[in-house]
Amino acid sequence: MWIPEPPETVRILSVSDSESYLKWATQLLSSLPDVEGRVVLIDNPILPTAEQIASAVAGTAWQHREIPVITRRDLARVIADHSPDIVLGAATGPIVAQVFLTAHMLAHRPALVSGLPGMGLPARSKGMNYRRLMDAFITHSFAEAAAYTEASNRTQVPCEVLLARLPMLRSAGIPQLIAEAPRTLVFAPQAKVPDGLEEREAIVAALAEFAYRHDGSRAIIKMRSRPGEFETHHEHHSYVEILEGLRRRGVPGAEDIELGFGPLSDFLTPGAGLVTVSSTAALESIDRGIPTLLISDFGFDPGLLNEVFADSGATGTLAEVAAGAIGFPDPEWLAENYFHSEDSQLRRSLGLLATRARTAQLPNRRSDVLRQKRVLLRAELRTVTPAPVISAYRKLRCLG
């Protein structure tokens, strides 16, 4: 009887710069079979704190392991020491550009793969240009795969566009709603949207009205960082300050709103409902069958990063938030957007890339190196700035 040989282990070194990318990288590597994963953080102004790291790696193979922090000057040595088949650029664009440039200049370069830590629409040229030296880009829905294929052609960034499920989505098929009429509303904010103070105040006011109108209910703002900590994107109007303002004005229900910290999974429990504008948290909530609402008051467009949800069937107004009328997406939308069947194609594609790296069959893109260097000023500022300057910058951010 013929017994197939087990697949050869793929060695992947992941480099991250922030908590959201670290979460994606550790979830992704933990979900792939026959992978020897190494994960490092690169020192930069948005480096996550120990608490943020613990939340990011919760439930992964790195949950009780130390995540090394390296500097830009360490990059070439770390890559050479680990001798990976693949370097995963799980970081913001300028950092990925520096990591990939360093890896590409090695005598025997690894395959270079990147992706985004959540919903990736719209597909922006700027992000593709930062990743110009990559061999493959991971997308998470059919719509994303089509958009990034078009972006690859538009920007002349020659890469293979791969399709996989977001690694934090664990449902076997199309998720089903498990409960209705939530008693706890969890709001998942984003740093970038909505960016106006009035819009943000309206969201918190709707949460307060929900808590006020429903005895025994709870409203929670699920924070991604504590005051003074850093996220992938800077937030202009803090929900902490907005909540404090509503409390000072005596808005009914404001005192009943809680601030939540820690892994999102701790809040996605039976009896809860999730509310957001466009956060990937909506997908994690849907994955668990939790009632989920995408706020429609501000519209759905590329600027709000939520256009993909416009026809989901899970949209609703702030008035519906206050009433606790939280729905769930249509099955047809789910099948097309992020909840497609998992067929292990990503692992096979990474295995082929690893083989090409080991046998020196990856393309030589030295002609793109000079072009890549022109977009690296921002990366240099974020990764080469002297430690005292970074420390002072962080202190100013905390004071602000």
Side-chain angles (χ1 to χ4, degrees):
M1 178 180 177
W2 177 76
I3 301 177
E5 294 184 4
E8 189 170 1
T9 298
V10 175
R11 301 188 304 274
I12 301 179
L13 171 66
S14 172
V15 182
S16 295
D17 61 350
S18 63
E19 49 87 24
S20 59
Y21 276 100
L22 178 63
K23 177 180 178 179
W24 176 64
T26 53
Q27 293 270 3
L28 176 63
L29 294 180
S30 297
S31 70
L32 293 170
D34 304 300
V35 164
E36 179 187 309
R38 302 290 182 90
V39 176
V40 300
L41 283 161
I42 191 164
D43 195 19
N44 72 103
I46 60 171
L47 188 71
T49 64
E51 183 177 1
Q52 287 177 301
I53 292 172
S55 294
V57 304
T60 75
W62 281 265
Q63 183 165 349
H64 301 295
R65 295 159 64 178
E66 181 180 357
I67 308 295
V69 178
I70 66 172
T71 68
R72 173 189 171 275
R73 295 179 181 86
D74 297 326
L75 268 175
R77 176 187 58 79
V78 168
I79 296 172
D81 286 350
H82 290 310
S83 187
D85 303 310
I86 295 171
V87 169
L88 177 64
T92 52
I95 299 297
V96 174
Q98 184 63 68
V99 171
F100 283 2
L101 181 62
T102 302
H104 201 281
M105 299 304 291
L106 297 176
H108 186 75
R109 80 169 182 92
L112 306 176
V113 178
S114 190
L116 299 178
M119 297 179 299
L121 295 174
R124 302 189 188 280
S125 298
K126 183 177 180 181
M128 294 296 284
N129 281 320
Y130 275 129
R131 295 165 172 83
R132 176 162 296 278
L133 295 176
M134 66 184 168
D135 298 292
F137 185 83
I138 299 172
T139 62
H140 301 114
S141 75
F142 293 115
E144 284 191 6
Y148 280 94
T149 298
E150 191 279 328
S152 172
N153 295 329
R154 181 179 70 247
T155 57
Q156 297 183 330
V157 176
C159 69
E160 184 179 359
V161 177
L162 308 178
L163 174 65
R165 262 203 186 196
L166 279 163
M168 62 280 293
L169 304 183
R170 308 293 173 80
S171 55
I174 302 299
Q176 303 292 321
L177 180 65
I178 61 173
E180 297 181 2
R183 302 299 298 170
T184 299
L185 276 194
V186 180
F187 170 59
Q190 278 185 293
K192 295 177 69 175
V193 297
D195 59 1
L197 178 59
E198 290 185 2
E199 291 91 341
R200 291 180 169 228
E201 286 183 338
I203 293 172
V204 181
L207 296 173
E209 186 175 350
F210 169 81
Y212 181 72
R213 289 168 55 178
H214 299 83
D215 290 338
S217 65
R218 303 167 64 207
I220 301 171
I221 301 176
K222 165 56 184 77
M223 306 298 294
R224 296 188 62 171
S225 61
R226 294 184 183 275
E229 294 180 336
F230 305 99
E231 299 179 21
T232 305
H233 303 288
H234 178 60
E235 186 172 54
H236 294 291
H237 302 290
S238 164
Y239 282 102
V240 175
E241 295 174 358
I242 290 172
L243 178 58
E244 290 174 351
L246 265 61
R247 287 172 173 173
R248 286 194 300 269
R249 284 151 46 191
V251 173
E255 290 291 343
D256 298 318
I257 298 177
E258 306 171 23
L259 296 177
F261 302 92
L264 177 64
S265 57
D266 291 350
F267 299 85
L268 300 180
T269 56
L274 185 120
V275 174
T276 189
V277 174
S278 68
S279 174
T280 302
L283 300 180
E284 296 189 57
S285 174
I286 294 165
D287 187 58
R288 291 162 172 78
I290 302 294
T292 304
L293 181 145
L294 283 300
I295 298 171
S296 61
D297 295 59
F298 317 120
F300 293 90
D301 58 59
L304 286 170
L305 309 176
N306 63 357
E307 193 173 26
V308 68
F309 286 111
D311 300 321
S312 67
T315 65
T317 65
L318 288 174
E320 289 173 295
V321 172
I326 314 298
F328 202 72
D330 298 325
E332 295 80 7
W333 183 90
L334 292 170
E336 182 67 21
N337 295 278
Y338 302 102
F339 291 93
H340 53 274
S341 300
E342 180 56 71
D343 59 4
S344 303
Q345 181 58 47
L346 176 63
R347 174 60 181 80
R348 291 192 290 272
S349 297
L350 294 178
L352 290 173
L353 277 174
T355 299
R356 293 170 60 195
R358 292 170 186 153
T359 55
Q361 296 182 50
L362 295 171
N364 185 328
R365 294 191 179 139
R366 295 299 176 96
S367 60
D368 283 328
V369 168
L370 289 178
R371 189 173 180 180
Q372 183 70 93
K373 286 181 176 179
R374 289 197 293 267
V375 301
L376 277 177
L377 177 60
R378 184 179 175 188
E380 290 291 329
L381 292 174
R382 295 182 71 175
T383 58
V384 186
T385 305
V389 176
I390 291 179
S391 178
Y393 173 78
R394 288 173 174 162
K395 288 179 181 179
L396 287 173
R397 284 280 298 272
C398 290
L399 292 174

